[in-house]
Amino acid sequence: MDKKRRIEELDHLKIFSGNANPDLARKICEHLSINLGNAYVGRFPDGEIDLKVNEDVRGADVFLVQPTCAPVNESLTELLIFIDCLKRASAARITAVLPYYGYARKDRKDEGRVPITAKLVANLITTAGADRVLTLDLHAAQIQGFFDIPVDHLLAFPVMMKYFEQLKTEDLVVVTPDVGGIKLARNYSKGLGVKMAIVDKRRVGPEETEVGFIIGEVANKNVIMIDDLIATGGSIAQAAYVLKEKGAREIYVGATHPVFCGSAIEKLSAAPIKEIVITDSIPLSEKARATGDKFKVLSISGLLGDAIMRIHHHESVSSLFV
């Protein structure tokens, strides 16, 4: 591709960001060597969202970076209003880039009289005017099927794997803190060429879990515990204590989304964990930054940037993981 054609195509590629994670959006733009789109996202005196796109997007291929992280309802509403604004400004295509997809825990009716919020949010994003979605490590992979528009589901696996391979730690075992994470943990155990173990976890309340027993050998092993997100930190902390009781040596944790709500930072800081490896899908809180070197943040900006460019050029996204 000659330079003139590339410049013309990049003129039609625009990336914007809401207030949820502008630092990640800037890093994506740096990776692609383009400028972040100019938009104002503020508030009216009564707290309603005020938004204006300050540049022409007519006929453009627009990517809007906005994880629906805390404050969740603010971030989600910003996303919907921003999409509506871009649609009314005649953008040719709008891709909602959701590094973290909130409201994903309720993906089915597991008891009577409860909503399926993961489906509701999918409907809202589609109705607002998004043409496609680019997201990362969904809490449940079947959420892709809740959308009636194309969904590109990325995995943080290549970014995490590169880091764990560099550790060059011997006598490793990959551990999943619950049965639901077996498939994710298997990817890491296969990639690292090590065995896998499972922590049996039972949920005894909305924010409380109980660790039962461990399936697999962890005695005298260095452990990498893998999960898609860390919310309250209770499951990870409890699992770390049990692993230590069973003779595990150093314990590392890898999780894509650092939700870290409530007393999560305190629980994780006190737990026998050497390092917690996370991504910048969600901005790391000041409290977590103040803990020192226990939290290691890996950037997914390159992964998202490469996916955005492939979507823009109508190329395969799945080939990023081959």
Side-chain angles (χ1 to χ4, degrees), residues 183-199:
K183 185 175 181 180
L184 180 63
R186 187 182 291 122
N187 289 338
Y188 285 87
S189 67
K190 184 178 178 181
L192 293 168
V194 299
K195 292 185 178 180
M196 187 178 77
I198 303 166
V199 175

PDB file of all heavy atoms in Angstrom, residues 183-199:
ATOM      1  N   LYS A 183     -11.717 -23.665  30.903  1.00  0.00           N
ATOM      2  CA  LYS A 183     -11.312 -23.482  29.508  1.00  0.00           C
ATOM      3  C   LYS A 183     -10.224 -22.427  29.396  1.00  0.00           C
ATOM      4  O   LYS A 183      -9.238 -22.596  28.661  1.00  0.00           O
ATOM      5  CB  LYS A 183     -12.518 -23.078  28.654  1.00  0.00           C
ATOM      6  CG  LYS A 183     -12.202 -22.994  27.176  1.00  0.00           C
ATOM      7  CD  LYS A 183     -13.451 -22.702  26.348  1.00  0.00           C
ATOM      8  CE  LYS A 183     -13.118 -22.635  24.869  1.00  0.00           C
ATOM      9  NZ  LYS A 183     -14.329 -22.345  24.046  1.00  0.00           N
ATOM     10  N   LEU A 184     -10.384 -21.317  30.149  1.00  0.00           N
ATOM     11  CA  LEU A 184      -9.383 -20.247  30.131  1.00  0.00           C
ATOM     12  C   LEU A 184      -8.050 -20.745  30.674  1.00  0.00           C
ATOM     13  O   LEU A 184      -6.995 -20.515  30.080  1.00  0.00           O
ATOM     14  CB  LEU A 184      -9.884 -19.061  30.957  1.00  0.00           C
ATOM     15  CG  LEU A 184      -8.971 -17.840  31.057  1.00  0.00           C
ATOM     16  CD1 LEU A 184      -8.762 -17.207  29.687  1.00  0.00           C
ATOM     17  CD2 LEU A 184      -9.561 -16.814  32.029  1.00  0.00           C
ATOM     18  N   ALA A 185      -8.094 -21.445  31.806  1.00  0.00           N
ATOM     19  CA  ALA A 185      -6.858 -21.958  32.416  1.00  0.00           C
ATOM     20  C   ALA A 185      -6.179 -22.988  31.533  1.00  0.00           C
ATOM     21  O   ALA A 185      -4.950 -23.061  31.477  1.00  0.00           O
ATOM     22  CB  ALA A 185      -7.175 -22.555  33.787  1.00  0.00           C
ATOM     23  N   ARG A 186      -6.994 -23.775  30.808  1.00  0.00           N
ATOM     24  CA  ARG A 186      -6.422 -24.789  29.930  1.00  0.00           C
ATOM     25  C   ARG A 186      -5.579 -24.157  28.824  1.00  0.00           C
ATOM     26  O   ARG A 186      -4.545 -24.693  28.429  1.00  0.00           O
ATOM     27  CB  ARG A 186      -7.525 -25.655  29.326  1.00  0.00           C
ATOM     28  CG  ARG A 186      -6.991 -26.847  28.529  1.00  0.00           C
ATOM     29  CD  ARG A 186      -8.104 -27.667  27.901  1.00  0.00           C
ATOM     30  NE  ARG A 186      -8.881 -28.361  28.919  1.00  0.00           N
ATOM     31  CZ  ARG A 186     -10.195 -28.202  29.090  1.00  0.00           C
ATOM     32  NH1 ARG A 186     -10.857 -27.350  28.331  1.00  0.00           N
ATOM     33  NH2 ARG A 186     -10.833 -28.877  30.019  1.00  0.00           N
ATOM     34  N   ASN A 187      -6.027 -23.000  28.336  1.00  0.00           N
ATOM     35  CA  ASN A 187      -5.254 -22.290  27.312  1.00  0.00           C
ATOM     36  C   ASN A 187      -3.855 -21.953  27.822  1.00  0.00           C
ATOM     37  O   ASN A 187      -2.853 -22.096  27.105  1.00  0.00           O
ATOM     38  CB  ASN A 187      -5.968 -21.011  26.890  1.00  0.00           C
ATOM     39  CG  ASN A 187      -7.216 -21.274  26.072  1.00  0.00           C
ATOM     40  OD1 ASN A 187      -7.357 -22.337  25.481  1.00  0.00           O
ATOM     41  ND2 ASN A 187      -8.126 -20.321  26.040  1.00  0.00           N
ATOM     42  N   TYR A 188      -3.788 -21.496  29.078  1.00  0.00           N
ATOM     43  CA  TYR A 188      -2.500 -21.119  29.661  1.00  0.00           C
ATOM     44  C   TYR A 188      -1.651 -22.344  29.967  1.00  0.00           C
ATOM     45  O   TYR A 188      -0.429 -22.329  29.756  1.00  0.00           O
ATOM     46  CB  TYR A 188      -2.720 -20.299  30.934  1.00  0.00           C
ATOM     47  CG  TYR A 188      -3.149 -18.884  30.670  1.00  0.00           C
ATOM     48  CD1 TYR A 188      -4.490 -18.547  30.500  1.00  0.00           C
ATOM     49  CD2 TYR A 188      -2.208 -17.854  30.570  1.00  0.00           C
ATOM     50  CE1 TYR A 188      -4.882 -17.254  30.243  1.00  0.00           C
ATOM     51  CE2 TYR A 188      -2.600 -16.542  30.320  1.00  0.00           C
ATOM     52  CZ  TYR A 188      -3.930 -16.252  30.154  1.00  0.00           C
ATOM     53  OH  TYR A 188      -4.326 -14.962  29.894  1.00  0.00           O
ATOM     54  N   SER A 189      -2.266 -23.390  30.476  1.00  0.00           N
ATOM     55  CA  SER A 189      -1.495 -24.605  30.789  1.00  0.00           C
ATOM     56  C   SER A 189      -0.918 -25.214  29.509  1.00  0.00           C
ATOM     57  O   SER A 189       0.224 -25.683  29.491  1.00  0.00           O
ATOM     58  CB  SER A 189      -2.366 -25.629  31.522  1.00  0.00           C
ATOM     59  OG  SER A 189      -3.392 -26.129  30.688  1.00  0.00           O
ATOM     60  N   LYS A 190      -1.698 -25.160  28.429  1.00  0.00           N
ATOM     61  CA  LYS A 190      -1.217 -25.669  27.150  1.00  0.00           C
ATOM     62  C   LYS A 190      -0.109 -24.774  26.603  1.00  0.00           C
ATOM     63  O   LYS A 190       0.918 -25.259  26.115  1.00  0.00           O
ATOM     64  CB  LYS A 190      -2.378 -25.745  26.155  1.00  0.00           C
ATOM     65  CG  LYS A 190      -2.000 -26.348  24.816  1.00  0.00           C
ATOM     66  CD  LYS A 190      -3.214 -26.436  23.891  1.00  0.00           C
ATOM     67  CE  LYS A 190      -2.834 -27.004  22.528  1.00  0.00           C
ATOM     68  NZ  LYS A 190      -4.013 -27.067  21.612  1.00  0.00           N
ATOM     69  N   GLY A 191      -0.311 -23.458  26.695  1.00  0.00           N
ATOM     70  CA  GLY A 191       0.683 -22.524  26.182  1.00  0.00           C
ATOM     71  C   GLY A 191       2.007 -22.592  26.921  1.00  0.00           C
ATOM     72  O   GLY A 191       3.076 -22.459  26.315  1.00  0.00           O
ATOM     73  N   LEU A 192       1.938 -22.811  28.234  1.00  0.00           N
ATOM     74  CA  LEU A 192       3.152 -22.880  29.051  1.00  0.00           C
ATOM     75  C   LEU A 192       3.713 -24.300  29.142  1.00  0.00           C
ATOM     76  O   LEU A 192       4.820 -24.490  29.652  1.00  0.00           O
ATOM     77  CB  LEU A 192       2.858 -22.354  30.463  1.00  0.00           C
ATOM     78  CG  LEU A 192       2.525 -20.854  30.565  1.00  0.00           C
ATOM     79  CD1 LEU A 192       1.975 -20.518  31.955  1.00  0.00           C
ATOM     80  CD2 LEU A 192       3.762 -20.009  30.275  1.00  0.00           C
ATOM     81  N   GLY A 193       2.923 -25.274  28.673  1.00  0.00           N
ATOM     82  CA  GLY A 193       3.382 -26.657  28.719  1.00  0.00           C
ATOM     83  C   GLY A 193       3.447 -27.222  30.120  1.00  0.00           C
ATOM     84  O   GLY A 193       4.361 -27.990  30.442  1.00  0.00           O
ATOM     85  N   VAL A 194       2.464 -26.846  30.965  1.00  0.00           N
ATOM     86  CA  VAL A 194       2.453 -27.319  32.358  1.00  0.00           C
ATOM     87  C   VAL A 194       1.077 -27.892  32.680  1.00  0.00           C
ATOM     88  O   VAL A 194       0.129 -27.744  31.915  1.00  0.00           O
ATOM     89  CB  VAL A 194       2.787 -26.172  33.340  1.00  0.00           C
ATOM     90  CG1 VAL A 194       4.175 -25.617  33.052  1.00  0.00           C
ATOM     91  CG2 VAL A 194       1.745 -25.053  33.266  1.00  0.00           C
ATOM     92  N   LYS A 195       0.984 -28.529  33.847  1.00  0.00           N
ATOM     93  CA  LYS A 195      -0.285 -29.129  34.262  1.00  0.00           C
ATOM     94  C   LYS A 195      -1.213 -28.068  34.874  1.00  0.00           C
ATOM     95  O   LYS A 195      -0.807 -26.952  35.157  1.00  0.00           O
ATOM     96  CB  LYS A 195      -0.025 -30.257  35.261  1.00  0.00           C
ATOM     97  CG  LYS A 195       0.669 -31.458  34.630  1.00  0.00           C
ATOM     98  CD  LYS A 195       0.810 -32.604  35.624  1.00  0.00           C
ATOM     99  CE  LYS A 195       1.455 -33.818  34.954  1.00  0.00           C
ATOM    100  NZ  LYS A 195       1.605 -34.951  35.894  1.00  0.00           N
ATOM    101  N   MET A 196      -2.458 -28.494  35.090  1.00  0.00           N
ATOM    102  CA  MET A 196      -3.481 -27.585  35.586  1.00  0.00           C
ATOM    103  C   MET A 196      -4.117 -28.149  36.846  1.00  0.00           C
ATOM    104  O   MET A 196      -4.192 -29.369  37.034  1.00  0.00           O
ATOM    105  CB  MET A 196      -4.547 -27.389  34.505  1.00  0.00           C
ATOM    106  CG  MET A 196      -5.580 -26.332  34.816  1.00  0.00           C
ATOM    107  SD  MET A 196      -6.753 -26.132  33.448  1.00  0.00           S
ATOM    108  CE  MET A 196      -7.784 -27.574  33.688  1.00  0.00           C
ATOM    109  N   ALA A 197      -4.569 -27.261  37.733  1.00  0.00           N
ATOM    110  CA  ALA A 197      -5.300 -27.652  38.938  1.00  0.00           C
ATOM    111  C   ALA A 197      -6.544 -26.781  39.053  1.00  0.00           C
ATOM    112  O   ALA A 197      -6.615 -25.692  38.480  1.00  0.00           O
ATOM    113  CB  ALA A 197      -4.423 -27.520  40.180  1.00  0.00           C
ATOM    114  N   ILE A 198      -7.529 -27.269  39.805  1.00  0.00           N
ATOM    115  CA  ILE A 198      -8.815 -26.575  39.934  1.00  0.00           C
ATOM    116  C   ILE A 198      -9.140 -26.378  41.405  1.00  0.00           C
ATOM    117  O   ILE A 198      -9.029 -27.314  42.207  1.00  0.00           O
ATOM    118  CB  ILE A 198      -9.948 -27.384  39.270  1.00  0.00           C
ATOM    119  CG1 ILE A 198      -9.620 -27.655  37.797  1.00  0.00           C
ATOM    120  CG2 ILE A 198     -11.282 -26.653  39.391  1.00  0.00           C
ATOM    121  CD1 ILE A 198     -10.514 -28.709  37.166  1.00  0.00           C
ATOM    122  N   VAL A 199      -9.540 -25.161  41.757  1.00  0.00           N
ATOM    123  CA  VAL A 199     -10.023 -24.872  43.107  1.00  0.00           C
ATOM    124  C   VAL A 199     -11.540 -24.993  43.085  1.00  0.00           C
ATOM    125  O   VAL A 199     -12.214 -24.334  42.281  1.00  0.00           O
ATOM    126  CB  VAL A 199      -9.611 -23.460  43.574  1.00  0.00           C
ATOM    127  CG1 VAL A 199     -10.224 -23.151  44.932  1.00  0.00           C
ATOM    128  CG2 VAL A 199      -8.093 -23.342  43.637  1.00  0.00           C
TER     129      VAL A 199
END
